[in-house]
Amino acid sequence: MIGKPVRRVEDPRFISGRGRFVDDISLPGELFLGVIRSPYPRAKFKIAKVPAGIEVITQEDLKTEPLPNFFYEGAPKEFPLAVREVRYVGEPLALVVAKDRYEVEDIKERVEVEYEPLPPIESAHNALEDKELVHEELGTNVVYKDTFEYGRISGNYKVMQKIFRVNRISPMPIETNGVIADYSPANGSLTIYANTQVPQVFRTALSIVFGIPKSRIRVIVPDSGGGFGGKIFLKPLVLATMASIYVERPVKYIETRTEHVTSAVQGPDREYHVSMMYRDGEILGMEVSLLENFGAYMHTYQPLPILRQIYHLTGAYNVSYLKFDVTGVLTNMPPTGPYRGLGIPPAVLVLENMVSSLSRKEGYNQFDFRKRNFIKTLPFTTITGAIYDSGDYAKSIEVLREALGDKDAGSGLGIAFALEPGSSLAFQTLVVKKPRTPYYEGVYMKMDSSGDVTVWLSTNSMGTGHETSVTQVVSDVLGISMNKINVVLGDTDGPPGTGFYGSRFSVVSISAVYKAAIKLKDRIRQLVSQILDVELDNVELRNGVVKVGTKTFTLEEIANLVYNKFHTPLEDMGIESTEVFNSPNVNVADDSRKVNFSSTYGVNAHGAIIDVDPDTGFIKIRKYVIVSDCGNIINPIIVDGQLMGGSAMGIGAALYEVIRYVSGSPQQTNLSDYWMPTAKEIPRMEIKHLVSPSPFTPLGTKGVAEGGATVPYAVIVNALEDALGVTLDHIEVPITPEFVLKYVDRSRLVKTM
């Protein structure tokens, strides 16, 4: 079954309306949570009036520890609810509960809050220059500063310089954050139903915030409608838990779309100043200076989205030098955090646009220029310590070139190339002193007396077909029908694990499933050997049939024999197995701060042909081609779906989606003013596959979920430069029509739209 394009086993319940999402779950005595949020980017506040019969929960009413940052000790303290001062529009300052959502909204409007507005820090540059401080106790708005330097550069060389501005964006999953918290005062236990991407990690976080032992906390993830980093968001779980502890009843919170856009996780807010050094058609290296706007606080996972860029700034090129300076500041905006690709798309934009611009400047074809500078032989260890596992970079570019074909006069052709980490958090050891790489994922597998198999993982799915992939692997190993396999995901009472993010499922989780299935197969052979008193070598299990000499048994017959018919006491008669997979090639940062960032590195080569309307500045994508190498493929349909969905998301980020702030207030607050692409704007995508199995995973698989989203920024900017016949020295994404019109030469462009 591995490699076959079978239909997803989870789809029947979704298309028939039988999916079970957080909002479909109701617990006895459940109340609904409303969050009172600040309308100001910065202000002193106090609760002025609470009508009779209404209870308002504040931070003083239920003291907690601050929200943890697992990766940076210098992060400012962020409590679940603001204390005396709010620091961004949408910051929670109080909670109310009621019997339904309508009453909650009415109650929120009746609670009077007095504000004393203060001047906000409106931008990263203001944070550097302004005397005002987001957190007075820190004494500065510069909260993170670091320099990473790898390799060396010598001799004479030339330099190309550019500035890149990447604006904020929303992950915008179809389902917003949702949680039900059920605290039991009888035994001090906490049960959470949430659509989080990291149930085990947030179980630990909840234990820290509330002082509840981890053994008394259970996080259950039902069906979830998308994540893209936006579901790696601790605060909704904490707010619902606060309310449940306070009222001693289950409390449900479903984030509104406005809350999601304005006060949930937002994508990166960055400005890069870049110098690329080169000589005689050879890329030597880069110096990159990054100004990062964290917002008012540092998200639980910051500064990992910064660190994950490092190897992307060298990419697939055999460069000898990289210097990366980072200055991270605080402003009066919501915190930025994980967004699909965890920091990668802007880094790919920086590197790949510099490469395309340099090829044009030096008179090279952009395909050939990349091939000239690519790493030629794999595995390869880069100057940053990344160990690239497998792939044929030059062939990928050639397949892309052939599929794109020639462009028409006046059109623009852009390409970009990115390596997709199938992913560990090994790079966290660049800032965490204690060496650790939480890369593991656990599986528990059991065959019952009927021969059916149940597979448990604590990781979950966000509509990404994980149940199907797991089922295919188990079916392939044991030779049983897919309908005899049940997959249970997203429960912290299950095996250990670290969650769903960073293109890691096909690398870590599937590897764990495969190894557990092999163990289960060996366990069945061992039990048959014991029960029938034959040598183990004489027991064969193939295609769902057990063969012992001239006798054959179905797995159903063997399972029935083990559980129901064999009564002689034998030690440990269960047909079950466990596996915790931790990739063998991840490591921790050495003294020179080199580290292998990930276990596998898939290939994503994208290309587009665009037309630019010379009158309006609008960009029309005429053709879009994806060349992917994600190693061995479990299910081609799921892989293509991930590539198309990710690329559509990347196109939206490149051309349409943005959250802008004026005087600290968001100008996009919901889907009426946040512009997302529709099927009309997304082109038909042509997908080509190459297969170079990874030597570091049992099935040769690599990651694939993020790759599509990481490349379109660079592809479309490169195509725009080609169409306009210019090399831009200042690039800002998303690329607005106003930006395009500043550079349009109407004599070059033919109106075709």
Side-chain angles (χ1 to χ4, degrees):
M1 296 303 296
I2 292 175
K4 292 186 177 180
V6 301
R7 292 186 177 183
R8 303 196 326 170
V9 299
E10 51 268 80
D11 281 353
R13 73 172 184 271
F14 291 138
I15 62 178
S16 63
R18 298 285 182 173
R20 188 169 183 259
F21 299 85
V22 172
D23 206 16
D24 295 318
I25 300 170
S26 296
L27 301 183
E30 178 179 275
L31 297 175
F32 289 84
L33 175 65
V35 183
I36 299 175
R37 298 179 180 274
S38 170
Y40 294 96
R42 184 170 175 236
K44 302 287 186 182
F45 78 92
K46 66 177 181 179
I47 306 295
K49 183 178 179 181
V50 179
I54 293 176
E55 285 192 285
V56 174
I57 307 166
T58 67
Q59 188 65 41
E60 288 87 349
D61 294 322
L62 191 63
K63 290 181 168 49
T64 68
E65 292 297 312
L67 306 184
N69 182 299
F70 293 117
F71 307 106
Y72 186 58
E73 295 178 354
K77 289 184 178 180
E78 180 184 8
F79 287 93
L81 297 171
V83 180
R84 294 184 293 278
E85 182 176 332
V86 288
R87 293 181 169 86
Y88 63 89
V89 172
E91 182 170 11
L93 57 93
L95 308 176
V96 296
V97 295
K99 67 179 185 299
D100 59 44
R101 292 194 187 110
Y102 304 100
E103 186 177 9
V104 157
E105 294 302 318
D106 291 340
I107 290 173
K108 284 167 59 178
E109 292 180 1
R110 293 171 63 192
V111 176
E112 295 183 13
V113 183
E114 290 184 356
Y115 296 94
E116 179 188 338
L118 299 170
I121 293 90
E122 301 178 26
S123 71
H125 286 285
N126 292 147
L128 294 174
E129 302 161 1
D130 209 320
K131 294 181 180 179
E132 297 289 337
L133 298 175
V134 178
H135 295 272
E136 291 185 7
E137 68 275 13
L138 295 181
T140 179
N141 290 322
V142 178
V143 71
Y144 178 74
K145 199 167 181 63
D146 210 340
T147 298
F148 304 87
E149 191 166 13
Y150 302 97
R152 58 188 297 271
I153 191 168
S154 60
N156 297 322
Y157 53 82
K158 297 178 182 179
V159 177
M160 170 180 271
Q161 295 182 321
K162 286 197 180 196
I163 297 172
F164 297 83
R165 176 76 176 95
V166 178
N167 288 291
R168 288 174 176 245
I169 194 170
S170 171
M172 202 64 75
I174 192 170
E175 178 200 28
T176 60
N177 285 282
V179 55
I180 302 171
D182 185 10
Y183 177 75
S184 171
N187 59 9
S189 66
L190 173 66
T191 302
I192 295 279
Y193 297 86
N195 52 18
T196 176
Q197 293 175 234
V198 286
Q200 291 283 12
V201 175
F202 280 178
R203 180 192 191 198
T204 300
L206 290 166
S207 177
I208 292 170
V209 173
F210 294 103
I212 302 172
K214 280 179 63 176
S215 60
R216 293 184 178 271
I217 300 175
R218 183 182 184 188
V219 181
I220 303 168
V221 184
D223 292 326
S224 301
F228 318 125
K231 302 286 178 65
I232 306 178
F233 188 32
L234 177 61
K235 187 162 279 192
L237 283 71
V238 170
L239 297 181
T241 299
M242 286 184 74
S244 182
I245 291 173
Y246 188 85
V247 301
E248 299 185 351
R249 289 171 65 176
V251 172
K252 176 184 285 187
Y253 172 60
I254 304 296
E255 189 180 67
T256 68
R257 185 60 62 178
T258 294
E259 286 176 310
H260 176 77
V261 175
T262 61
S263 52
V265 177
Q266 293 182 349
D269 186 341
R270 296 176 176 171
E271 184 177 299
Y272 299 84
H273 289 247
V274 183
S275 297
M276 175 171 276
M277 290 79 83
Y278 63 97
R279 179 175 54 226
D280 299 328
E282 179 186 3
I283 303 170
L284 303 177
M286 286 205 303
E287 290 186 351
V288 180
S289 177
L290 169 63
L291 179 59
E292 180 92 5
N293 179 357
F294 287 123
Y297 303 95
M298 291 181 75
H299 180 278
T300 307
Y301 272 54
Q302 288 286 17
L304 297 193
I306 292 175
L307 304 179
R308 200 169 183 234
Q309 297 179 90
I310 291 174
Y311 88 82
H312 288 278
L313 295 173
T314 65
Y317 304 101
N318 191 14
V319 300
S320 57
Y321 181 70
L322 173 66
K323 185 177 182 182
F324 184 38
D325 284 313
V326 181
T327 301
V329 299
L330 302 172
T331 63
N332 290 115
M333 297 182 188
T336 57
Y339 175 85
R340 193 171 189 170
L342 192 64
I344 297 174
V348 174
L349 167 63
V350 167
L351 176 62
E352 286 297 300
N353 177 254
M354 294 296 288
V355 171
S356 281
S357 296
L358 183 56
S359 69
R360 186 183 307 110
K361 180 178 180 179
E362 292 296 291
Y364 288 93
N365 174 281
Q366 60 179 326
F367 294 93
D368 295 333
F369 188 66
R370 283 177 169 81
K371 289 172 63 177
R372 177 187 180 99
N373 284 278
F374 273 156
I375 294 163
K376 303 299 192 297
T377 305
L378 299 174
F380 182 89
T381 302
T382 73
I383 57 172
T384 66
I387 304 171
Y388 296 165
D389 52 339
S390 63
D392 189 330
Y393 303 161
K395 184 176 180 181
S396 300
I397 281 289
E398 282 304 318
V399 171
L400 181 65
R401 187 197 318 237
E402 183 179 350
L404 279 170
D406 297 325
K407 65 169 185 171
D408 296 328
S411 296
L413 188 152
I415 65 171
F417 193 94
L419 299 178
E420 178 174 5
S423 164
S424 93
L425 293 183
F427 54 90
Q428 70 167 289
T429 61
L430 290 165
V431 288
V432 178
K433 293 180 181 179
K434 182 180 178 182
R436 58 191 183 119
T437 54
Y439 195 46
Y440 57 85
E441 202 66 46
V443 174
Y444 172 45
M445 196 175 297
K446 183 174 183 178
M447 177 178 284
D448 63 24
S449 60
S450 68
D452 290 355
V453 174
T454 301
V455 186
W456 287 267
L457 296 90
S458 68
T459 189
N460 52 293
S461 176
M462 293 278 164
T464 40
H466 290 175
E467 291 175 48
T468 302
S469 299
V470 170
T471 301
Q472 284 183 256
V473 170
V474 176
S475 172
D476 191 90
V477 172
L478 298 180
I480 61 176
S481 170
M482 289 179 62
N483 61 20
K484 292 182 69 64
I485 301 165
N486 179 46
V487 180
V488 181
L489 300 173
D491 191 335
T492 58
D493 274 5
T498 61
F500 168 54
Y501 54 89
S503 297
R504 70 189 302 270
F505 185 83
S506 59
V507 177
V508 192
S509 302
I510 281 294
S511 295
V513 169
Y514 176 71
K515 295 188 75 173
I518 293 292
K519 286 183 177 180
L520 191 69
K521 182 177 180 179
D522 291 341
R523 177 63 177 154
I524 293 168
R525 292 179 60 242
Q526 178 190 18
L527 287 170
V528 170
S529 170
Q530 289 178 279
I531 292 171
L532 300 183
D533 194 22
V534 297
E535 293 292 331
L536 183 61
D537 290 344
N538 292 331
V539 181
E540 181 182 4
L541 198 170
R542 182 178 297 176
N543 298 324
V545 175
V546 177
K547 186 176 180 181
V548 183
T550 60
K551 296 182 179 180
T552 60
F553 305 86
T554 65
L555 278 177
E556 291 88 343
E557 291 172 326
I558 292 298
N560 184 48
L561 180 66
V562 170
Y563 285 109
N564 299 324
K565 295 186 176 180
F566 195 79
H567 302 295
T568 301
L570 288 175
E571 185 180 347
D572 187 15
M573 288 295 295
I575 309 177
E576 54 194 60
S577 66
T578 61
E579 173 67 27
V580 177
F581 183 83
N582 193 350
S583 184
N585 65 317
V586 297
N587 53 27
V588 298
D590 64 17
D591 292 340
S592 62
R593 307 189 84 179
K594 292 182 179 181
V595 61
N596 182 28
F597 286 64
S598 184
S599 179
T600 66
Y601 296 85
V603 170
N604 286 277
H606 290 210
I609 296 174
I610 68 167
D611 290 333
V612 179
D613 190 313
D615 297 326
T616 66
F618 274 92
I619 292 172
K620 175 74 172 180
I621 302 174
R622 293 293 181 190
K623 189 171 188 177
Y624 201 94
V625 177
I626 300 166
V627 178
S628 169
D629 182 349
C630 60
N632 287 332
I633 295 173
I634 303 298
N635 188 317
I637 294 176
I638 292 176
V639 167
D640 285 357
Q642 289 295 307
L643 290 169
M644 287 187 285
S647 299
M649 197 168 178
I651 290 169
L655 292 175
Y656 307 106
E657 299 181 46
V658 66
I659 305 174
R660 298 191 190 276
Y661 282 77
V662 175
S663 300
S665 295
Q667 302 304 291
Q668 290 76 30
T669 59
N670 52 52
L671 287 173
S672 66
D673 43 35
Y674 184 93
W675 194 9
M676 294 184 69
T678 67
K680 185 177 179 181
E681 287 79 39
I682 299 300
R684 183 178 297 276
M685 299 176 190
E686 183 179 344
I687 300 175
K688 303 287 186 180
H689 289 285
L690 299 178
V691 176
S692 59
S694 174
F696 300 127
T697 55
L699 285 169
T701 51
K702 304 179 187 179
V704 74
E706 291 182 329
T710 62
V711 196
Y713 267 154
V715 169
I716 296 172
V717 170
N718 291 345
L720 177 64
E721 285 191 329
D722 186 55
L724 299 179
V726 300
T727 296
L728 303 171
D729 58 9
H730 188 287
I731 292 167
E732 181 171 352
V733 289
I735 308 163
T736 63
E738 293 80 6
F739 178 87
V740 173
L741 288 174
K742 290 189 296 183
Y743 301 96
V744 164
D745 178 356
R746 286 172 171 77
S747 66
R748 277 185 54 88
L749 300 178
V750 179
K751 187 169 182 179
T752 59
M753 304 176 75

